[in-house]
Amino acid sequence: MTQDDLLARAQAWLAEDPDQETREELAALLDRNATDELADRFAGTLQFGTAGLRGELGAGPMRMNRSVVIRAAAGLAAYLNAKGERGGLVVIGYDARYKSADFARDTAAVMIGAGLRAAVLPRPLPTPVLAYAIRHLGAVAGVEVTASHNPPRDNGYKVYLGDGSQIVPPADAEIAAEIAAVRSLADVPRPESGWETLGDEVLDAYLERTDAVLTAGSPRTARTVYTAMHGVGKDVLTAAFGRAGFPPPALVAAQADPDPAFPTVAFPNPEEPGAMDLAFEAARAVDPDIVIANDPDADRCAVAVPDASVEGGWRMLRGDEVGALLAAHLVHKGATGVFAESIVSSSLLGRIAQAAGVGYEETLTGFKWIARVEGLRYGYEEALGYCVDPEGVRDKDGITAALLVTELASVLKEQDRTLTDLLDDLAVAHGLHATDQLSVRVEDLGVIANAMAALRERPPVSLAGLTVVSAEDLTKGTESLPPTDGLRYHLEGDYRARVIVRPSGTEPKLKCYLEVVVPVGDGSELATARATGDRVLSAIKRDLSAAAGL
């Protein structure tokens, strides 16, 4: 694109931008002749895929803004109409991030203008409430405006179809084609009224449904510290806990209420270093049984447990550990059906399912795949996502997961036991499944492409001194999985070590998922097994970094 073409494209975008804030931002860039910055914003368009849209807020087609959202909504509406859904209901939810309410209102207006019906949730609410509302209201689609746990300057646009699950191919490509066909915002009718703003009836129905994940008469004694991570989870989670009869959670006050600036954390993700510091500080003051955190849109659930061996006395459980604990609890409760997880999650779930005689299935990464498993009873993936009531919410749900893990902590407390004790039991029964992640955040997406290319061109022959006995390029698909951008390695030996490398679908990160299974004879061997697992994982991480050029 020549400089003249760049300036012409920016001027054309400015002329139809409906948002005063981004108009002023773009006009200032043009006045300064900031061609490098303009080129970054106009180098292409945000790509609509199976994660919908997600990106930094700002002016231009490579940023999240009202112009981009209106085009996305118009593309979705055209797709729905082409599928014969004219007149159908689209339900829209949103979080408390910058511009979320504006994006939700724009989406509703576009749906009405396209001959569909639209209903907007009454205020910023957790993503699982929107996922529930789709099926509860008989909608043909749903939209959630959220960037989940991304940095403060990001926002996103997540699309569900009428089955209550997130879109998968080919729907994503078909919607993207309709978005690309939108020539001008002037071609998109946007009436100023006509949609419905819902009351609390849907939220009340969701909360009533949360009771279904608990066993009638089960213990409800575990005490919790809870952080909403500056997001929208607090009111819904505390209401669910109150209905269930659990002790009211002790709130991390500085993070309890929605704040799009996320002032106390570098990244509003419980997995990120430092994000749980205030929660652990609160735990040291009130001595609860467990600590629970939601991410900002409350579809993820993090759990921490007392651990005298670590600095500060509290340890975050890995998502794989919580996934195994919830599976064991559901087995104990007599759950039947299929247990499912994504390929990047621990193989321990398969062993728990096999021992219990329940079905098991492995899917590609993301709940858009897990939620579609036929006969699903429970699904999880290592990034703190758990689906414990698929008949109610066909997506990850940080509220019901928090209820279920607190019930489990209560059951164990009545037995004078803890979540850590149950993890030890699972390790003795099935082997110690040690997992870790090598996650590299980049400014330049070319770093990720180069790393993937290096691994494809020169695949490692050994990691941590263990021979790589199989190397799969998942872009070709497997017998059970459709194609995806990823690599999977299995290593020789008794440790059943496994490595998966893939670019993140929602953040500028390269993610490498590592697992080592260490045999355990009895409880006396656990400490040695953990040390072995840590040693082998560290060596794999070191060698993989070198092989990928990181």
Side-chain angles (χ1 to χ4, degrees), residues 58-127:
M62 289 294 289
R63 298 288 188 269
M64 281 295 296
N65 51 64
R66 290 184 60 200
S67 296
V68 165
V69 164
I70 290 166
R71 289 170 183 272
L76 173 61
Y79 167 85
L80 293 171
N81 284 332
K83 296 294 183 183
E85 302 289 8
R86 181 174 290 275
L89 175 67
V90 178
V91 61
I92 302 152
Y94 59 102
D95 67 11
R97 285 177 177 266
Y98 296 118
K99 298 290 184 180
S100 286
D102 294 338
F103 295 167
R105 187 171 54 251
D106 283 332
T107 300
V110 170
M111 296 303 155
I112 297 300
L116 293 145
R117 293 180 293 128
V120 183
L121 293 183
R123 58 186 172 278
L125 286 168
T127 292

Side-chain angles (χ1 to χ4, degrees), residues 279-291:
F280 294 160
E281 183 180 313
R284 288 189 288 272
V286 302
D287 192 28
D289 297 294
I290 56 174
V291 172

Side-chain angles (χ1 to χ4, degrees), residues 346-363:
S346 172
S347 59
L348 177 56
L349 182 68
R351 295 185 174 92
I352 292 171
Q354 182 179 27
V358 300
Y360 170 74
E361 193 162 326
E362 198 176 52
T363 75

Side-chain angles (χ1 to χ4, degrees), residues 350-412:
R351 295 185 174 92
I352 292 171
Q354 182 179 27
V358 300
Y360 170 74
E361 193 162 326
E362 198 176 52
T363 75
L364 292 183
T365 307
F367 272 82
K368 57 184 174 284
W369 300 107
I370 294 171
R372 285 182 161 76
V373 168
E374 189 172 348
L376 181 68
R377 175 58 186 87
Y378 168 63
Y380 99 92
E381 69 179 3
E382 56 77 41
L384 310 182
Y386 315 95
C387 175
V388 301
D389 178 26
E391 288 304 305
V393 175
R394 292 188 178 177
D395 199 0
K396 54 188 177 293
D397 183 345
I399 305 297
T400 50
L403 286 170
L404 196 62
V405 78
T406 307
E407 180 186 55
L408 172 58
S410 300
V411 169
L412 293 168

Side-chain angles (χ1 to χ4, degrees), residues 403-475:
L403 286 170
L404 196 62
V405 78
T406 307
E407 180 186 55
L408 172 58
S410 300
V411 169
L412 293 168
K413 185 176 181 177
E414 296 296 299
Q415 302 166 1
D416 199 27
R417 302 180 76 235
T418 66
L419 297 181
T420 305
D421 293 328
L422 181 52
L423 285 172
D424 289 347
D425 292 348
L426 292 172
V428 171
H430 305 291
L432 178 75
H433 288 63
T435 60
D436 200 358
Q437 188 180 127
L438 171 62
S439 180
V440 182
R441 183 181 292 273
V442 301
E443 294 290 334
D444 177 8
L445 291 177
V447 173
I448 294 175
N450 291 341
M452 295 297 289
L455 290 170
R456 286 190 168 104
E457 292 166 10
R458 298 177 299 279
V461 296
S462 70
L463 297 168
L466 302 171
T467 301
V468 176
V469 293
S470 73
E472 298 170 276
D473 187 340
L474 298 176
T475 56

